[in-house]
Amino acid sequence: VMSDIVSYSVRHSRTPLVEQRQDFAEIEFAIDRALGIGEFRLAYQPQVELATGQLAGIEVLVRWDDPTRGQVSPLEFVTAAEATGQIHALGLWIIEEACNQGQRWRDTLLGAAALSVNVSPVQLKAPDFAANVRAILGRTGFPPDRLVVELTESALVQRGDPGFETLWELHQAGVRIAIDDFGTGYSCLAYLRDLPVSFLKIDQSFVRDLPHNESAAVIARTIVAMGRGLGLSVVAEGVETEAQADFLKGIWCNKAQGYFYAKPLNSAQLAGWAELGASP
Ligand code: C2E
Ligand code: MG
Ligand code: MG
Ligand code: MG
């Protein structure tokens, strides 16, 4: 583990190694403490059905307000937790907390919507990941078909890789799978054929330049056409303007999420947002 951490540090920063080693030891300690005292919390960002404006889903995003560091970006502490192995405990806590919240919302604001959780490639490699998810679903009572696991292309696996079985096990349990940040990784379309994927999420870097940038428009159109052709539901991420939303609706993209609809909210704010009606 230490060598992973050190090689991570070397790749990601210019601070001298000794200092970095100390930084990582510190962050490892801080993450443990935060897990112990319940300092992590979840934010919820709604996804809407473009055709109707109805709530279609909710993405769960982890947040950490560290007393000394302040708001730490998940990109930062998730990466650190991957290097130390703490992502396994943190990741399962996130899923259990999300399912508990989802269960409380089930007969009210959730309606037919699903709850999406982000899962790191490291979590997927744990041989007991699918069994742990099934156990959480059993304990919380949250229906498996309301849970979506979001994976980036870097987590995607080929037949024979350790994560391949995990994804099929999740699918057999009824959990659905989304490809996050689609188009930004090393896209290998074979996984769309070989894995039980239900959702494609168009990365926000493609959405940002819509509708006027011709390349962005072609890429968005192509992803939607391919996704829909394969029977998948396509979700646009990072929608910030009405013009982007209108364009995506016009090319028959299924769902959208982004600041145009709502920022990631706490549970009370999300309930308030849903009460006002999903469309802005
Ligand atoms: P992601 O899963 O692709 O999440 C989307 C990110 O875009 C979130 O950043 C969200 O707050 C942000 N976002 C949403 N709408 C807009 C918009 O309209 N404009 C812009 N500019 N940004 C928008 P966040 O929460 O900082 O998360 C960053 C990344 O960290 C996530 O990317 C995901 O890869 C990772 N992450 C977040 N929560 C978790 C988690 O619970 N577990 C794991 N393993 N990774 C997580
Ligand atoms: Mg995501
Ligand atoms: Mg994304
Ligand atoms: Mg991302």
Side-chain angles (χ1 to χ4, degrees):
V1 169
M2 208 54 209
S3 70
D4 281 354
I5 298 171
V6 171
S7 70
Y8 166 83
S9 311
V10 170
R11 276 180 284 120
H12 287 81
S13 134
R14 284 164 212 226
T15 345
L17 210 60
V18 179
E19 235 171 89
Q20 287 164 20
R21 229 185 266 239
Q22 199 176 348
D23 278 359
F24 263 99
E26 264 172 41
I27 201 163
E28 181 171 13
F29 181 80
I31 291 173
D32 263 346
R33 200 211 62 231
L35 270 171
I37 65 175
E39 220 163 61
F40 291 105
R41 54 187 187 80
L42 300 183
Y44 302 91
Q45 188 178 38
Q47 304 174 335
V48 304
E49 202 64 50
L50 275 163
T52 62
Q54 294 297 301
L55 180 72
I58 298 169
E59 179 172 6
V60 173
L61 296 155
V62 66
R63 293 289 178 264
W64 183 22
D65 214 348
D66 178 71
T68 56
R69 291 176 183 79
Q71 280 264 1
V72 190
S73 160
L75 289 170
E76 227 174 281
F77 66 84
V78 165
T79 310
E82 285 175 344
T84 61
Q86 289 165 305
I87 192 64
H88 300 292
L90 175 59
L92 291 173
W93 177 83
I94 291 166
I95 297 172
E96 182 136 12
E97 180 77 3
C99 289
N100 274 318
Q101 185 58 261
Q103 185 67 355
R104 286 195 286 275
W105 281 336
R106 211 173 124 186
D107 299 322
T108 54
L109 77 96
L110 199 59
L115 210 57
S116 292
V117 294
N118 292 283
V119 168
S120 115
V122 177
Q123 289 175 268
L124 206 65
K125 286 193 193 109
D128 54 354
F129 180 72
N132 283 326
V133 171
R134 279 201 310 270
I136 289 172
L137 291 165
R139 271 201 296 282
T140 58
F142 192 63
D145 64 353
R146 294 307 193 76
L147 184 66
V148 176
V149 161
E150 293 195 3
L151 299 162
T152 56
E153 287 168 308
S154 61
L156 287 161
V157 289
Q158 308 284 318
R159 226 178 277 279
D161 289 346
F164 190 88
E165 274 311 307
T166 305
L167 288 177
W168 278 99
E169 270 181 72
L170 288 170
H171 174 71
Q172 268 139 25
V175 174
R176 284 173 294 167
I177 293 156
I179 314 285
D180 205 351
D181 304 346
F182 184 75
T184 59
Y186 293 95
S187 304
C188 162
L189 298 178
Y191 61 63
L192 293 180
R193 181 196 60 200
D194 296 339
L195 288 169
V197 173
S198 298
F199 302 93
L200 281 190
K201 298 190 72 176
I202 306 178
D203 189 66
Q204 52 192 56
S205 61
F206 301 123
V207 173
R208 192 182 305 134
D209 299 328
L210 295 177
H212 301 297
N213 183 288
E214 192 51 37
S215 317
V218 169
I219 291 168
R221 231 184 264 282
T222 305
I223 295 175
V224 172
M226 182 182 67
R228 293 195 67 130
L230 290 167
L232 312 179
S233 182
V234 183
V235 186
E237 296 191 84
V239 176
E240 294 184 354
T241 68
E242 185 158 26
Q244 291 167 344
D246 287 343
F247 177 87
L248 289 159
K249 199 169 163 177
I251 63 169
W252 300 100
C253 183
N254 303 82
K255 299 172 173 56
Q257 86 185 82
Y259 299 164
F260 177 60
Y261 303 98
K263 295 206 163 173
L265 305 169
N266 68 33
S267 56
Q269 290 168 328
L270 181 71
W273 179 88
E275 218 158 273
L276 292 174
S279 27

